[in-house]
Amino acid sequence: MRKVLVGILIAAVFILSYHSCNEAKKEKEILEESSMLIQQQIANVSKLIVTEGHFAEVYNYKDSQEVLGNLFTANKKALVVVNAEVTVAYDLSQINFKVNEETKTLYITSIPDPEIKINPDFEYYDITSDYFNPFKPEDYNKIKRNVKASLLKKIEASSLKKNASNRLISELSKFYVLTNSMGWTLVYQQEAVTALEDFNKTIPFIKE
C-alpha cells in the first residue's frame, strides 16, 4: 500500500511539473508572438509622412560695384519669380525602439527630426547689367541661397510643419492602440503613454 501511495505521489509531481512547464512554454510563445507582431506593425508604419505645400515669391536682385575708385558705378539687377514645392517629412524607418518581453513594454527612444525639402522653379525677368559688372554664375548661386533662406522663414511661419506633426501623431497613435489592445505598455522618452492625448505632451514637434 505504501508503495502505491509513493507511486501516486511521484506521478502527481510529474504531472504537475509537466503541466507547469507546458504553461510556461505557452506563455513564452505568446510573449514572443506578441513581440514579433509589435515589431512587424512598427515596420509597416515605418514610412514617410509627408505634407506638401506651395510657395511663391518675387525676388528683386540688385548689385552695384564702384569702378575706377568712385568714378562711376556699374549696376546689375534681375527680377526673379520663384514657385516652390515644399515637403515636410518624418522618416519613421529611422525610429529607435526596443521591446521588453518580460515587462510587456515597448520603448520608443527617439524619433527623427522633420526633413524639409524645397524644390524651387526660378524664372528670371528683366535681367540688366553693365559691361563692367556682368552677370556671373556666382550671382545666380547667390540668388538661390537668398531665396531658399527667405522660403525657410515662410515655412517656419506657416502651418506646414504643424500639419506634418499632426500626421506624425496619427501614425504614432497606432503604436498605442496596438500595445494597449495586447496588454502592453508604451513608453516614450521615459514616460508611459496611457492615452492618445499623451502624445501631445511627449512629442515636441507639435509645439507652436
Side-chain angles (χ1 to χ4, degrees), residues 106-146:
L106 168 63
Y107 295 91
I108 298 178
T109 56
S110 67
I111 295 171
D113 293 331
E115 302 172 358
I116 300 176
K117 294 184 179 181
I118 303 174
N119 298 306
D121 179 36
F122 294 86
E123 294 185 11
Y124 294 87
Y125 299 91
D126 191 26
I127 299 177
T128 58
S129 62
D130 292 338
Y131 177 79
F132 293 100
N133 189 15
F135 259 88
K136 299 177 180 179
E138 50 263 35
D139 290 304
Y140 293 99
N141 293 332
K142 184 177 180 179
I143 290 173
K144 290 179 180 180
R145 287 196 301 271
N146 292 345

Side-chain angles (χ1 to χ4, degrees), residues 34-35 37-43 95-109 171-180 182-193 199:
S34 298
S35 177
L37 178 59
I38 287 175
Q39 294 184 53
Q40 182 180 357
Q41 289 299 318
I42 291 176
I95 192 171
N96 292 322
F97 69 93
K98 61 180 180 180
V99 176
N100 189 322
E101 296 179 3
E102 294 182 358
T103 60
K104 292 185 178 181
T105 305
L106 168 63
Y107 295 91
I108 298 178
T109 56
E171 293 297 321
L172 292 179
S173 296
K174 297 177 182 178
F175 297 161
Y176 169 74
V177 173
L178 176 65
T179 53
N180 188 57
M182 298 174 62
W184 283 53
T185 301
L186 175 63
V187 175
Y188 175 64
Q189 289 190 341
Q190 299 181 347
E191 292 188 21
V193 178
F199 281 113

Side-chain angles (χ1 to χ4, degrees), residues 12-75:
V13 171
F14 176 78
I15 292 171
L16 288 174
S17 299
Y18 178 78
H19 182 72
S20 177
C21 290
N22 272 350
E23 289 297 323
K25 184 178 179 181
K26 288 180 180 179
E27 184 176 354
K28 183 179 180 181
E29 288 176 352
I30 291 173
L31 283 173
E32 289 178 351
E33 289 177 2
S34 298
S35 177
M36 290 298 296
L37 178 59
I38 287 175
Q39 294 184 53
Q40 182 180 357
Q41 289 299 318
I42 291 176
N44 291 338
V45 175
S46 296
K47 59 184 177 182
L48 285 175
I49 305 172
V50 180
T51 299
E52 296 182 341
H54 177 81
F55 292 83
E57 181 166 337
V58 177
Y59 177 72
N60 284 295
Y61 177 72
K62 294 181 180 180
D63 180 80
S64 299
Q65 292 185 6
E66 293 182 347
V67 180
L68 299 177
N70 58 354
L71 185 62
F72 68 93
T73 302
N75 301 309

